[in-house]
């Protein structure tokens, strides 16, 4: 029933539905720049004819709105508007997710949603998502579990991931589904 409700909420949007999770509870050291997410959203919407659904907490609503607005008219911001069960239902309906190293990333992976995970200096071999159809994008030789909330090194590594690279990884996963 919950899946039907969430599917109904998305029915007005053309598929493929692509989830974007631009937030991360650990802060800037785990967040790809909002501008990169927004550019990726606009280009993926234009290239696929699909829709971008931004997801996150109420505290992430502003960044999620920025990203959803970039995908207008096919952007929908659900940040802070879903329960955990509804978040899981939306993620399970999406063709692919583009996300930071976050709890939402792990939830998407657990649901079997194909995903592109963006990593700074965190070691994905230790803390990465588990499952099939997962692409990890990372441009850092240093990998650690001990990443402070504010880390210039982590932010620099995240900025090194190009929007084009993220878009291509999402498109590759879309073609597999």
């Amino acid at each position: 029933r919950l899946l039907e409700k969430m599917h109904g909420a998305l029915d007005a949007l053309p598929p493929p539905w692509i989830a974007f999770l631009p937030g991360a509870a650990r802060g800037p050291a785990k967040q790809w720049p909002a501008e990169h997410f927004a550019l990726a959203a606009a280009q993926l919407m234009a290239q696929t004819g699909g829709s971008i659904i931004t997801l996150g907490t109420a505290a992430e609503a502003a960044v999620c709105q920025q990203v959803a607005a970039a995908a207008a008219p096919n952007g929908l911001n659900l940040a802070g508007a879903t329960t955990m069960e509804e978040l899981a239902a939306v993620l399970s309906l999406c063709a692919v997710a583009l996300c930071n190293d976050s709890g939402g990333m792990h939830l998407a992976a657990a649901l079997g949603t194909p995903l592109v995970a963006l990593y700074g200096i965190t070691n994905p071999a230790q803390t990465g998502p588990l499952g099939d159809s997962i692409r990890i994008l990372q441009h850092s030789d240093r990998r650690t579990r001990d990443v402070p909330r504010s880390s210039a090194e982590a932010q620099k590594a995240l900025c090194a991931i190009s929007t084009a690279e993220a878009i291509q990884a999402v498109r590759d996963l879309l073609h597999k589904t």
Side-chain angles (χ1 to χ4, degrees):
R1 225 166 141 70
L2 182 59
L3 270 176
E4 290 173 14
K5 175 187 172 191
M6 296 317 295
H7 198 290
L10 301 179
D11 276 342
L13 297 171
W17 299 323
I18 304 169
F20 272 50
L21 291 89
R26 289 282 305 161
K30 299 265 186 156
Q31 294 173 325
W32 199 44
E35 301 77 28
H36 287 47
F37 270 109
L39 182 58
Q43 290 184 7
L44 279 166
M45 189 274 302
Q47 292 173 14
T48 67
S51 301
I52 305 300
I53 297 116
T54 56
L55 299 158
T57 66
E60 298 162 347
V63 68
C64 287
Q65 182 55 41
Q66 176 185 351
V67 174
N74 298 351
L76 175 64
N77 179 14
L78 295 179
T82 62
T83 64
M84 185 62 73
E85 292 82 8
E86 291 168 337
L87 172 62
V90 171
L91 284 170
S92 72
L93 293 169
C94 288
V96 66
L98 176 63
C99 46
N100 291 312
D101 172 18
S102 64
M105 172 198 70
H106 289 289
L107 179 59
L111 293 165
T113 303
L115 67 90
V116 176
L118 306 164
Y119 272 76
I121 62 173
T122 305
N123 188 346
Q126 293 176 311
T127 64
L130 303 173
D132 299 323
S133 298
I134 294 172
R135 287 278 315 271
I136 306 264
L137 299 182
Q138 184 175 40
H139 294 297
S140 173
D141 293 331
R142 179 168 179 238
R143 295 197 168 77
T144 181
R145 283 188 66 151
D146 186 24
V147 180
R149 288 185 184 273
S150 281
S151 165
E153 181 184 12
Q155 289 175 299
K156 181 179 177 184
L158 281 161
C159 286
I161 301 168
S162 73
T163 320
E165 182 180 9
I167 290 168
Q168 188 59 55
V170 168
R171 289 182 56 105
D172 290 348
L173 288 173
L174 281 172
H175 292 311
K176 287 184 177 180
T177 58

